[in-house]
Amino acid sequence: MIARVPLGNTGLQVSRLALGTGTTGFNCQSAQSRMPVSEYAALLQRAHALGVTFWDTSDDYGTYPHVRAGLQGIDRSEIVIVTKTWALSAQDARRSVEEALTELGTDYLDVFMLHEVDSPEEFGRRMQALEELHRCKEEGLVRAVGLSTHAILTLEAVVAHPLVEVILTNFNKANLHMDANLKDYSKALMEARAAGQGTYVMKTLAEGKLAHDVEDALRFNLSKPWIDSVTVGVRFLNELEEMVAIADRLAVEA
């Protein structure tokens, strides 16, 4: 069973493995990767049974139907759902929250993030949306607010920012799909975690380039105490079970 840890100071407990849904939804560019709702819902429910209770989606993935179906028969409080929005304005952020609540069939979202904020200047332009997400939090619609980024300059700029409670960024042992070296990313993530921000990472397998070395890739990311959770994308039950077995083995070794 995958261990759970605090997601920074948010009050949320998340599994050390997170399930990323970005490559399986209706909006996935690869038609071969898209999965039927019922098939992916079964995978999500198996993930829950194995302790993978941190599920990552977005308003542009086309996986809200899959996640909604996966929640059926599961105690909602056992799952931490994070979703994201491209919103620039307060109005668009509010609309994104309302649509997510409706389409996911839930009364609240655990984490709502600005999606792909890839420069400090863009962060400034999206401040109205970020502030609106916090108003949604005050209303009980959202439990924590954050952002995702692929850019080291954004990552460094939001460390300890009072409106950014959770950060998602790219990180892998091969330093692929990253715009700075591992030392820079590591330093920023360590500082964010020390400031009480929740941290989790994507691109663990470097978009498949490390698929031949899954255990070492997971070991590298899971070994970092300043990374709360590690996102993986899977399409098949055997892939999920293999990654859970690796994570469990690494936890015992630690």
Side-chain angles (χ1 to χ4, degrees):
M1 184 68 69
I2 296 293
R4 293 191 187 189
V5 297
L7 183 63
N9 292 343
T10 64
L12 299 169
Q13 293 279 324
V14 297
S15 53
R16 289 282 281 141
L17 279 184
L19 199 59
T21 66
T23 59
T24 55
F26 294 139
N27 296 336
C28 180
Q29 292 182 351
S30 170
Q32 292 182 330
S33 294
R34 297 174 199 149
M35 294 182 66
V37 168
S38 60
E39 186 177 335
Y40 197 71
L43 190 148
L44 287 168
Q45 294 189 341
R46 179 58 177 158
H48 165 258
L50 293 171
V52 181
T53 54
F54 191 16
W55 299 353
D56 177 286
T57 184
S58 176
D59 61 8
D60 66 331
Y61 290 171
T63 53
Y64 282 175
H66 305 68
V67 175
R68 180 176 184 144
L71 288 171
Q72 298 304 305
I74 293 176
D75 184 339
R76 174 66 182 86
S77 66
E78 295 180 3
I79 305 297
V80 173
I81 297 176
V82 53
T83 190
K84 314 176 196 77
T85 177
W86 292 94
L88 285 169
S89 69
Q91 181 180 14
D92 286 346
R94 172 70 59 166
R95 184 183 302 113
S96 292
V97 171
E98 293 172 349
E99 289 176 352
L101 292 170
T102 299
E103 294 179 27
L104 289 165
T106 183
D107 295 330
Y108 65 93
L109 285 310
D110 297 283
V111 184
F112 217 110
M113 311 181 82
L114 298 181
H115 197 178
E116 290 192 21
V117 184
D118 283 345
S119 73
E121 293 76 21
E122 183 182 352
F123 180 60
R125 289 193 297 270
R126 296 173 71 178
M127 189 57 63
Q128 289 185 357
L130 186 65
E131 291 170 346
E132 186 65 20
L133 292 180
H134 275 276
R135 283 189 280 273
C136 291
K137 179 184 175 183
E138 292 170 2
E139 296 169 23
L141 303 178
V142 172
R143 299 175 70 187
V145 176
L147 62 77
S148 70
T149 183
H150 299 92
I152 187 64
L153 292 180
T154 304
L155 180 59
E156 292 172 341
V158 301
V159 168
H161 194 287
L163 296 184
V164 179
E165 300 169 308
V166 182
I167 298 171
L168 166 63
T169 195
N170 34 328
F171 195 84
N172 62 73
K173 71 169 193 168
N175 209 163
L176 295 171
H177 304 288
M178 300 168 67
D179 67 351
N181 60 47
L182 281 167
K183 182 178 179 181
D184 293 331
Y185 274 84
S186 298
K187 181 176 183 292
L189 283 167
M190 281 188 278
E191 290 174 352
R193 194 61 189 79
Q197 292 167 300
T199 59
Y200 74 112
V201 296
M202 56 186 165
K203 311 295 186 188
T204 298
L205 299 183
E207 296 187 359
K209 294 181 177 65
L210 297 177
H212 65 286
D213 201 11
V214 173
E215 181 153 356
D216 282 349
L218 282 176
R219 180 187 299 273
F220 186 83
N221 282 6
L222 286 169
S223 69
K224 307 299 185 283
W226 28 267
I227 293 176
D228 296 325
S229 187
V230 173
T231 307
V232 293
V234 299
R235 295 183 60 244
F236 303 105
L237 288 174
N238 66 308
E239 292 176 337
L240 172 67
E241 290 170 352
E242 176 190 5
M243 291 189 187
V244 169
I246 291 169
D248 284 341
R249 184 162 62 251
L250 296 178
V252 170
E253 291 175 5

